[in-house]
Amino acid sequence: MLRVEGLKKNYGSVTALADITAEFPTGTFTSVVGPSGCGKTTLLKCLSGLMPASAGSVMLGNTRVTRPPEQMALVFQDYSRSLYPWMTVRQNVAFPLRNKRLDPKEIDRRVDQSLTSVGLGHAMDRHPWQLSGGMQQRTAIARAIAYQPEILLMDEPFASVDAQTRADLEDLMLKLKSELGMTIIFVTHDIDESVYLGDRIVVLGSVPTRVKETLDVALPNPRDQLATKGEPEFLRLRSYVYTQIMRDRAPAAL
Ligand SMILES: Nc1ncnc2c1ncn2[C@@H]1O[C@H](COP(=O)(O)OP(=O)(O)OP(=O)(O)O)[C@@H](O)[C@H]1O
């Protein structure tokens, strides 16, 4: 279980996160939503230990998180800076696996499988600069999948891919979550996506930010892009979350 308690983050005189307390139970998919600029990326950076909090704590089990734990992987929005340009797609995906002391055959198997599952089986020997933005982001996702982390933090990972690929990647994440039992914390601006993917939704308020509400998503699994999105509970939740976020938007954003 990943747990954050009384988390506060100041940037100079600006308090981005005022007081965040939340739990991310093992094996659950938690969507994190909130008004633009409310501190979603800041929260992920603190949760991963990439950035120190100004106050409060992040605990993974009984261990305080002060740097990214070995069992955690991150996929950030800014894919252009997350791949090594001098490595091929295959080498980029294999790179983090080197620390796992795996058999080279197992590394090859995981790299092939993860790249195929994101639709990049044909592009393994290209370099990142030979790929479109969406393909680069899919490479970053394949790298996280191949690593098979226990906890996966994702910050708007599908923002730059087309609608069809986005739906495919959403379903891939759900499949991986159920197959690998991963804990996924998924920041998104897309309210439909937050409801479709989440077991739970953490709704953040505006800066200085607190958790407004944590909602359970009582939708049946497995989810289906058409059937799930037609469920009355899906429609109820999306309109509820939308209303919560719109109420909290900063006046400047209106
Ligand atoms: N390095 C920084 N220095 C100063 N202020 C920062 C820094 N990073 C973020 N902020 C501020 O902290 C607040 C939260 O930013 P953050 O990027 O975490 O929000 P977000 O919810 O992820 O944004 P978005 O919805 O645009 O993706 C914003 O007001 C932002 O301007």
Side-chain angles (χ1 to χ4, degrees):
M1 159 102 81
L2 186 65
R3 212 173 68 244
V4 51
E5 203 165 326
L7 187 81
K8 182 173 181 180
K9 181 66 192 178
N10 301 325
Y11 291 111
S13 59
V14 175
T15 299
L17 302 178
D19 181 4
I20 304 282
T21 295
E23 291 184 340
F24 302 93
T26 303
T28 60
F29 195 122
T30 305
S31 303
V32 179
V33 294
S36 193
C38 73
K40 299 180 290 297
T41 299
T42 301
L43 175 62
L44 281 197
K45 286 183 177 164
C46 291
L47 278 177
S48 63
L50 277 177
M51 193 162 68
S54 307
S57 64
V58 179
M59 301 292 292
L60 179 57
N62 294 323
T63 310
R64 202 181 173 100
V65 176
T66 52
R67 59 188 172 135
E70 201 180 307
Q71 60 271 51
M72 184 183 275
L74 298 106
V75 178
F76 282 110
Q77 197 174 353
D78 191 2
Y79 53 81
S80 60
R81 280 192 290 175
S82 75
L83 302 175
Y84 298 116
W86 62 89
M87 289 185 185
T88 63
V89 165
R90 183 193 293 280
Q91 288 165 338
N92 265 287
V93 175
F95 186 72
L97 300 179
R98 296 196 317 189
N99 296 332
K100 284 210 159 195
R101 286 181 228 95
L102 295 168
D103 185 274
K105 281 202 186 113
E106 171 64 7
I107 293 183
D108 286 348
R109 193 190 65 75
R110 285 200 197 180
V111 171
D112 284 0
Q113 198 179 48
S114 65
L115 281 167
T116 304
S117 69
V118 299
L120 286 178
H122 64 290
M124 293 191 199
D125 296 315
R126 292 197 213 164
H127 286 79
W129 40 270
Q130 296 172 306
L131 305 177
S132 68
M135 290 165 86
Q136 290 179 43
Q137 184 64 330
R138 281 188 276 151
T139 305
I141 292 164
R143 184 171 57 186
I145 293 168
Y147 190 74
Q148 296 188 1
E150 289 168 27
I151 304 169
L152 181 57
L153 306 188
M154 306 183 93
D155 188 5
E156 281 279 335
F158 308 148
S160 60
V161 301
D162 62 88
Q164 181 58 55
T165 307
R166 185 172 189 140
D168 291 346
L169 289 173
E170 287 170 357
D171 289 334
L172 176 68
M173 294 320 301
L174 289 176
K175 182 165 162 270
L176 288 166
K177 190 214 114 190
S178 74
E179 281 176 9
L180 303 174
M182 273 190 290
T183 305
I184 302 178
I185 303 169
F186 188 98
V187 163
T188 180
H189 278 109
D190 184 326
I191 294 168
D192 283 23
E193 185 171 73
S194 76
V195 179
Y196 179 67
L197 292 176
D199 297 313
R200 310 157 67 241
I201 306 173
V202 171
V203 184
L204 300 177
S206 52
V207 167
T209 302
R210 293 182 162 79
V211 175
K212 240 174 114 79
E213 198 163 358
T214 300
L215 303 161
D216 284 323
V217 179
L219 285 167
N221 291 309
R223 310 248 165 115
D224 175 89
Q225 291 283 353
L226 282 179
T228 302
K229 290 180 179 173
E231 293 259 356
E233 179 62 1
F234 179 90
L235 301 171
R236 187 191 72 77
L237 271 171
R238 83 192 274 260
S239 113
Y240 182 79
V241 173
Y242 182 80
T243 310
Q244 293 299 313
I245 292 175
M246 293 309 275
R247 266 197 200 140
D248 234 54
R249 276 198 331 181
L254 292 169

